[in-house]
Amino acid sequence: MTATAMSPATSATSLLLLHTWGGDARTWAPALRFLRAGGRAADAPDLPGHGERAAEPFSLAGAVETAAARAAEAVRDGPADSPADRLADVLEDRPVNHPADRPVNRSVDQPVNHPVDRPVDVVGSGLGALVALALARQRPGAVRSLTLVGFPPAGGPAAAARLAETEERLRRAGTAAFARGYVDGTLRGPDPARRELLRRAMAATRPRTLLDSLRATLGWADDEPPRPPGPPCLVLRGAHDERVGAEAAQTLAGQLGGTYAVVPGAGHIAYLDEPEAFAEVLRDFHHGLDRAAGGPAGRYGTEHVPPMRHSSGPPTPTLPER
């Protein structure tokens, strides 16, 4: 696949990558070699309760604090010394839970006030999309652009049913068996190494963290209905995502005043299923931020969705694609 050339502004803008539900920073490793094309800096932190921070409780406030802190660190580190660069470079030769991946512990009550000299491009998948959206609303000056992947989740009765089902399955099967079943039923790609990254991360996550973070994600619009977050926004969906329908994703893009795009061949966790195609869609979007209005579209392009009137809840998902 021929990569779309990046503009100087995009190549100089750091990426902040926020992992999916039950994942951790390491799950971004397959995509990093494509996302870092041209020497672009990228950082992928563990959210509270995940990865090296498994002993910590999860809270949305703590996750947003992590994202804000790492956005500032990404700018300071620059392309030559990105934590995610180091993570990918030694991933294959390093055991799980290596201390080099451990982020600095910070109080979840600490205000989000980290100075950022240059905004970053924030990309969040699933749970990470919830955190990314909250960061963009609270700190729009820190975010050049926002990409929400595999989002929004189902709301209403479907959300309550999924939470109850997940809790029961965790109780009956245990975390390791639950993780194996979730990965087998969610990832489309056959690569066993990618499957192992997510399975291992989820199996090491405490059941309480899985339930608390899932509850936060499923209740994403309970307190505040969808509205434009400020920075340019892309709602990105795997073409074969059976958890988020096309209509729901397009509706969210309209509610946020953003654009909508699809990753060919990918399912719900597009950055693990099709990392190269995922990176190419992101490059198209980020490069488009610097193109003159009406310039040529990229390989996949993005579809601008006019703003829509919204209700007090999340958009209703469509039936899964088959």
Side-chain angles (χ1 to χ4, degrees), residues 43-241:
D43 189 15
D46 288 327
L47 296 176
H50 299 78
E52 284 294 330
R53 306 177 66 181
E56 301 178 30
F58 174 83
S59 72
L60 181 57
V64 174
E65 162 63 21
T66 293
R70 297 300 279 266
E73 290 173 8
V75 171
R76 288 197 301 269
D77 287 343
D81 192 29
S82 166
D85 288 347
R86 297 192 298 271
L87 173 65
D89 289 342
V90 299
L91 178 66
E92 298 302 325
D93 300 322
R94 191 173 68 210
V96 182
N97 297 333
H98 190 282
D101 291 339
R102 185 175 299 121
V104 177
N105 290 331
R106 298 178 175 88
S107 168
V108 298
D109 297 322
Q110 181 179 346
V112 182
N113 59 2
H114 302 279
V116 178
D117 297 327
R118 183 187 303 122
V120 298
D121 287 324
V122 182
V123 182
S125 176
L127 171 64
L130 172 71
V131 178
L133 183 58
L135 174 67
R137 285 174 171 167
Q138 295 181 31
R139 290 290 310 281
V143 179
R144 183 182 82 139
S145 73
L146 175 68
T147 299
L148 309 178
V149 189
F151 201 77
R162 183 184 173 195
L163 186 64
E165 177 188 8
T166 300
E167 185 168 17
E168 178 64 13
R169 289 175 61 194
L170 282 167
R171 186 185 68 81
R172 287 180 175 273
T175 310
F178 175 86
R180 187 177 304 109
Y182 178 84
V183 171
D184 289 345
T186 302
L187 291 186
R188 291 176 52 86
D191 187 329
R194 295 180 201 164
R195 289 175 170 268
E196 181 65 9
L197 280 174
L198 182 57
R199 186 207 62 77
R200 187 168 56 186
M202 183 170 281
T205 306
R206 297 187 304 176
R208 177 50 51 194
T209 294
L210 291 172
L211 293 172
D212 287 347
S213 56
L214 180 61
R215 183 179 296 106
T217 306
L218 293 172
W220 71 284
D222 287 349
D223 298 328
E224 184 178 11
R227 61 180 174 80
C233 178
L234 171 67
V235 176
L236 186 57
R237 174 180 173 271
H240 303 285
D241 189 342

Side-chain angles (χ1 to χ4, degrees), residues 1-3 13 15 30 95 145 174 205 215 227 268 287 321:
M1 179 179 296
T2 302
T13 302
L15 281 167
S145 73
T205 306
R215 183 179 296 106
R227 61 180 174 80
H268 183 59
H287 182 55
E321 293 183 355

Side-chain angles (χ1 to χ4, degrees), residues 265-293:
H268 183 59
I269 307 177
Y271 72 89
L272 268 173
D273 271 335
E274 297 289 343
E276 185 174 7
F278 176 83
E280 182 71 2
V281 176
L282 279 185
R283 277 193 293 268
D284 279 352
F285 173 56
H286 293 152
H287 182 55
L289 299 177
D290 304 314
R291 288 197 303 259

